Structure formats: C-alpha cells, structure tokens
Amino acid sequence: MTDSPVKAPGTAPGLSVLLQHTAEAVRQVQQGRSLAEGLPDVPAPLRPAVQALTFHALRHLGLARALVDRLADRSPEPVVQALLVAAVALLVAPADGVRYAPHTVVNQAVEAARQQRRLQRQAGFINACLRRLLREQTDLMAEVADDPPARHHHPRWWIDRVRRDHPQDWAAVLQASQEPGPMTLRVNRRRIDRSAYALRLAEAGMASLPTGEDGLVLARPCAVDSLPGWTDGLVSVQDAAAQMAAGLLLQGQDWGPQHRVLDACAAPGGKTAHLLERADVQVLALDADADRARRIGDTLQRLQLQARAQVKVADAADTAAWWDGQPFDAILLDAPCTASGIVRRHPDVRWLRREADVAALAAQQRRLLEALWPLLRPGGRLLYATCSVFRAEGEDQVQAFLARHTDARQHPSAGHLLPGAGRPVGQFNDNPPGGHDGFFYARLDKPAA
C-alpha cells in the first residue's frame, strides 16, 4: 500500500461518505483486522481517498484516542469511537495535501453519523464532542502531552521496546514511522540500464534520484501501471532497504548456473526476482501460503524471469517435505517478523501487533534458522533478514544462533537499519532520498570443510 492523495473539499464524494468508510476501517483495525483485508471492501472509486484518510487516522491514533477519552463522559461504542477518532485526527493534525476547515470536519462527521441508521442517535453526541475539542483544544492537548502513546503515536509497549533497543535513536525511529515512505523503484538490469530508465522517467515527467545499485526514488508516487515499461518488466517497486538483500547475499563471488540458491520465505517475489536479475543462478523460491506463492510466479512472469526459478508451496522449516537432499550454495531467509520497520508504509501494524507477538515470531525465526542451516553446503552463506527494528528479531537472534553453532561465522553486513533519515546502525551508510524502511541483515557463512 502507498499513500494516496485526498480529494479536496467540494469534489465528489463528500467528506461525510469518506469518513464513514474511514471510521469502519479504523474500527476493524482496532478489532484486529488489517487494512490489507479491510480496504478491498471499500468501493473502488472511494478507495484511494479512504486509504489516505485511514492512514492519517492510524498515524495519529494514539493522540486521537487520548483526546476522545477526555471528550466523552462515557466510553463510546467502537463504531462511534472510530468516527470520532477519524474526525479528531483531521482536526488536530491536518492531512497532507488538503486542509479541511474545522467546521467542515465537524459538520461532515455529524452528517456521517446521520447517514447511518445505527449512528443516527449518536449525531448529537458526536457534535458535542467535536465542538468541545474546537473550544478547548489547547487545554486538552496539554493534558495528553505527557501520555507516551499520544505523544509518539505508538502503543506504550512498542515505545518502551524501541527505547530499550535503540537508546540513542528511539525518538527518531518512532517519528520516521509517521512520515509516508517514498516510492522507490528497482530497475531490472537485465532489461535496461538504470540511467536509461531514469531518462525514460524524465521524458514521462517523473523526476527521480538514484539510490543503491539498482534503485530510483521518485519525487512523487504514482500508479504502477503509469510507470514506463511496467508491463514489460523493466522495473519493480521495492524499498531501498529491501533492495540490499541480493547484493549482500551475492557479494564477493562469481555466480553461475551451477549455483543453487534458496529463497526460503519468498512471497511476493521481489527479492527472488532481484537475485535473478543480478546473477545466473538456480533459485528455489518457497512460501507456505499458496496464494502468496502464486504472487511469486506472477512477479517472475512480469519480469520475464519465470524460466529461471522454481516456485514451491511449502513450509521452509519442514525440510523433509520439500528438500531434495542437495545442499544450497546460498540461502536467503527473509523471515516472518513483526514488520516493525515498515510501519510508515503500513500504519496499521503498530496497532495490530501485541507485545507477545515478538517472542512468538522470534521463536519462529529460530525454528527456520535451525532447519535451514544444515541445508547449506560448507563454504556457503545464509543471509538472515527481517523488516524489524526490534533486536529480538535481529542482532539478539543472530548472536544466539552463533552461540549455538560453532560452524557459523558472521560476515560484516548491514545489521540494524533504522527507518527514515535517522542514523543507521552498523556498517550501512547509504541514506537514500526520503530514507529507507527499517530492516536487519546478517550474513552467516559456513566455513569450507
């Protein structure tokens, strides 16, 4: 998902209609349903504007909920609270690209309630709460200023963990999650040179700047099908941090068709494709979910790389079910994680996760590492990656693995990459325009016998 512009006031559809759908999306997130599941239910013509308003509400959910708690004498039912949250977020933190007049937000929120049978009786209550906010906003903001979720826009446990894991950078990490991530492209070097593609973008009126080895950061996001050569496989959308995987796994060695590479948790296929764009290797791409595995095939087909990879539906940790007994020269393990490093692109993640998820996912990561390490030949390498800023899913996980495996050596690699334009941790110093997502990388080498 990428951020989309909000339609200006006075254009169809009206703000009241957008607020109805935004409130429903916020309510679902607060009850545990992701935006990836909920937004497709929104009518297609409304979806871009509703997504933008929902992203905005979720980026300010901590503050908006704290204010609603003070505005309401009683705890409103979830559907009412969600509508109040959506309106309050617009009143105290105007959305990028459009500023609604305060009275417009109040009137349209009340109208949104009146248009829904289940909320008609709550219209007066919503009106009273929002008008009180307009009258007392300075005092109310002062009351919540020291509340961590209201101030930093994340759950308290998340704030505490980031502060403990990154004591020098924690505030910058949290702030970076509030900023929309740039649209970053990866040029398919098998099809076109990066500078040549940048020229094609310029000819189409799209300004860009280079990042990394194959990336271009767009000055403004756009629909993917408007990108020159998209359907012909000239380019993909992939964050600058995610683009590092192929280079870190392949660096320092000549690769050819005799080399076998495993992409263990491959969907939707961006890293699989990047490996094939950069090297003539055999790639086996796995994913445990059949629908997600089909996305790998779709990605490879669009990039005209499908003939050079095998895709299987399998749990990578259940090696007896899929491994043919032949060792791999390299393994990419982009392990399931909390996604705490990509919150700027997925603002619902911070509100969907629970503190217990960190330990549960760390256990799953350990299970995958233990299962895949024996499949690596002596002299081979494994790149462990997560899109997380939590040390439990990064450096702590790797150090525990090294303590258990005396046959593993950690090669200098990126370590923890902090999101946005904050100071990276480790040996990664490239800072692309608009920054990068939060990631962790560690390359583990198995010495030759």
Coordinates of all heavy atoms in Angstrom, one line a residue, residues 172-173 175-177 179-182 239 241 341 344-345 389 417-424 428 430-439:
A172 N 13.7 9.2 17.0 CA 13.8 9.4 15.5 C 13.1 8.2 14.8 O 12.5 8.3 13.8 CB 15.2 9.5 15.1
V173 N 13.3 7.0 15.4 CA 12.7 5.8 14.8 C 11.2 5.9 14.8 O 10.5 5.7 13.8 CB 13.1 4.5 15.6 CG1 12.3 3.3 15.1 CG2 14.6 4.2 15.3
Q175 N 9.4 8.7 15.1 CA 9.0 9.8 14.2 C 9.0 9.4 12.8 O 8.1 9.8 12.0 CB 9.9 11.0 14.5 CG 9.5 12.2 13.6 CD 8.1 12.7 13.8 OE1 7.5 12.7 14.9 NE2 7.4 13.0 12.7
A176 N 10.0 8.6 12.4 CA 10.1 8.2 11.0 C 8.9 7.4 10.6 O 8.5 7.4 9.4 CB 11.4 7.3 10.8
S177 N 8.3 6.7 11.5 CA 7.1 5.9 11.2 C 5.9 6.8 10.9 O 4.9 6.3 10.4 CB 6.7 5.0 12.4 OG 7.8 4.0 12.6
E179 N 6.1 9.4 8.9 CA 6.3 10.0 7.6 C 6.0 9.0 6.5 O 6.5 7.9 6.5 CB 7.7 10.5 7.5 CG 8.1 11.5 8.5 CD 7.3 12.8 8.6 OE1 6.8 13.2 7.5 OE2 7.1 13.4 9.6
P180 N 5.2 9.3 5.5 CA 5.0 8.4 4.4 C 6.3 8.1 3.7 O 7.1 8.9 3.4 CB 4.1 9.2 3.4 CG 3.4 10.2 4.3 CD 4.4 10.6 5.3
G181 N 6.5 6.8 3.4 CA 7.7 6.4 2.7 C 7.7 6.8 1.2 O 6.6 6.8 0.6
P182 N 8.8 7.1 0.6 CA 8.9 7.4 -0.8 C 8.6 6.2 -1.6 O 8.7 5.1 -1.2 CB 10.3 7.9 -1.0 CG 11.1 7.1 0.0 CD 10.2 7.0 1.2
D239 N 11.5 -1.0 -1.7 CA 12.2 -0.1 -0.9 C 13.7 -0.2 -0.9 O 14.2 -1.3 -1.2 CB 11.7 -0.2 0.6 CG 12.3 0.8 1.5 OD1 11.9 2.0 1.5 OD2 13.3 0.5 2.2
A241 N 15.9 -0.3 1.4 CA 16.5 -1.3 2.3 C 16.3 -2.7 1.8 O 17.2 -3.6 1.9 CB 15.8 -1.1 3.7
G341 N 9.6 -2.4 11.2 CA 10.4 -1.5 10.4 C 9.7 -0.9 9.2 O 10.3 0.0 8.6
R344 N 5.8 2.9 8.5 CA 5.4 4.1 7.7 C 4.6 3.8 6.5 O 3.9 4.6 6.0 CB 6.7 4.9 7.4 CG 7.7 4.2 6.4 CD 8.9 5.0 6.2 NE 9.8 4.4 5.2 CZ 10.7 5.1 4.5 NH1 10.9 6.4 4.7 NH2 11.4 4.5 3.6
R345 N 4.8 2.6 6.0 CA 4.0 2.1 4.8 C 2.8 1.4 5.2 O 1.8 1.2 4.4 CB 4.9 1.2 3.9 CG 6.1 1.9 3.4 CD 6.9 1.1 2.4 NE 8.1 1.7 2.0 CZ 8.3 2.7 1.1 NH1 7.2 3.1 0.5 NH2 9.5 3.2 0.9
V389 N 12.8 -3.5 13.5 CA 13.8 -2.7 14.3 C 14.0 -3.3 15.7 O 14.8 -2.8 16.4 CB 13.3 -1.2 14.4 CG1 13.3 -0.6 13.0 CG2 12.0 -1.1 15.1
L417 N 19.1 -1.5 10.3 CA 18.9 -0.3 9.5 C 17.7 0.4 10.1 O 16.6 -0.2 10.1 CB 18.7 -0.6 8.0 CG 19.7 -1.5 7.4 CD1 19.3 -1.7 5.9 CD2 21.1 -0.9 7.5
L418 N 17.8 1.6 10.6 CA 16.7 2.3 11.2 C 15.9 3.1 10.1 O 16.5 3.6 9.2 CB 17.2 3.2 12.3 CG 18.0 2.5 13.4 CD1 18.2 3.5 14.5 CD2 17.2 1.3 13.9
P419 N 14.6 3.1 10.2 CA 13.8 3.7 9.1 C 13.9 5.2 9.0 O 14.3 5.9 9.9 CB 12.4 3.3 9.6 CG 12.4 3.2 11.1 CD 13.8 2.7 11.4
G420 N 13.6 5.7 7.8 CA 13.6 7.1 7.5 C 15.0 7.6 7.4 O 15.9 6.9 6.9
A421 N 15.2 8.9 7.7 CA 16.5 9.5 7.5 C 17.3 9.5 8.8 O 18.3 10.3 8.9 CB 16.3 11.0 7.1
G422 N 17.0 8.7 9.8 CA 17.7 8.6 11.0 C 19.1 7.9 10.8 O 19.4 7.4 9.8
R423 N 19.9 8.0 11.8 CA 21.3 7.4 11.7 C 21.2 5.9 11.6 O 20.6 5.3 12.5 CB 22.1 7.8 12.9 CG 23.5 7.3 12.9 CD 24.3 7.7 14.1 NE 23.7 7.2 15.4 CZ 23.9 6.0 15.9 NH1 24.7 5.2 15.2 NH2 23.4 5.7 17.0
P424 N 21.7 5.3 10.6 CA 21.7 3.8 10.5 C 22.7 3.2 11.6 O 23.6 3.9 12.0 CB 22.3 3.5 9.1 CG 22.2 4.8 8.4 CD 22.4 5.9 9.4
F428 N 26.1 0.2 7.4 CA 25.3 0.7 6.2 C 25.3 2.2 6.3 O 24.7 2.8 7.3 CB 23.9 0.1 6.2 CG 23.1 0.6 5.1 CD1 23.4 0.3 3.8 CD2 21.9 1.3 5.3 CE1 22.7 0.6 2.7 CE2 21.1 1.7 4.2 CZ 21.5 1.4 2.9
D430 N 24.6 4.3 3.3 CA 23.8 4.9 2.2 C 22.5 5.4 2.7 O 21.8 4.6 3.4 CB 23.6 3.9 1.1 CG 22.9 4.5 -0.1 OD1 22.9 5.7 -0.3 OD2 22.3 3.7 -0.8
N431 N 22.1 6.6 2.5 CA 20.9 7.2 3.0 C 20.1 7.8 1.9 O 20.3 8.9 1.5 CB 21.1 8.2 4.1 CG 19.9 8.3 5.1 OD1 19.0 7.6 4.9 ND2 20.0 9.2 6.0
P432 N 19.2 7.0 1.2 CA 18.6 7.5 0.0 C 17.6 8.6 0.3 O 17.2 8.8 1.4 CB 17.8 6.2 -0.5 CG 17.6 5.4 0.8 CD 18.8 5.7 1.6
P433 N 17.3 9.4 -0.8 CA 16.3 10.5 -0.6 C 15.0 9.9 0.0 O 14.4 8.9 -0.5 CB 16.1 11.0 -2.0 CG 17.3 10.5 -2.8 CD 17.7 9.2 -2.1
G434 N 14.5 10.5 1.1 CA 13.3 10.1 1.8 C 13.6 8.9 2.7 O 12.7 8.4 3.4
G435 N 14.8 8.5 2.8 CA 15.2 7.4 3.7 C 14.8 6.0 3.2 O 14.4 5.9 2.1
H436 N 14.9 5.1 4.1 CA 14.6 3.7 3.8 C 13.8 3.1 4.9 O 13.7 3.7 6.0 CB 15.9 2.9 3.6 CG 16.8 3.1 4.7 ND1 16.7 2.5 5.9 CD2 18.0 3.8 4.8 CE1 17.7 2.8 6.7 NE2 18.5 3.6 6.0
D437 N 13.2 1.9 4.7 CA 12.5 1.2 5.7 C 13.4 0.7 6.8 O 14.6 0.6 6.5 CB 11.7 0.1 5.1 CG 10.5 0.6 4.3 OD1 10.1 1.7 4.4 OD2 9.9 -0.3 3.5
G438 N 12.9 0.3 7.9 CA 13.7 -0.4 8.9 C 13.9 -1.8 8.5 O 13.0 -2.5 8.2
F439 N 15.2 -2.3 8.7 CA 15.5 -3.7 8.3 C 16.6 -4.2 9.2 O 17.3 -3.4 9.8 CB 15.9 -3.7 6.8 CG 15.0 -4.5 5.9 CD1 13.9 -3.9 5.4 CD2 15.2 -5.8 5.6 CE1 13.0 -4.6 4.5 CE2 14.4 -6.5 4.8 CZ 13.3 -5.9 4.2

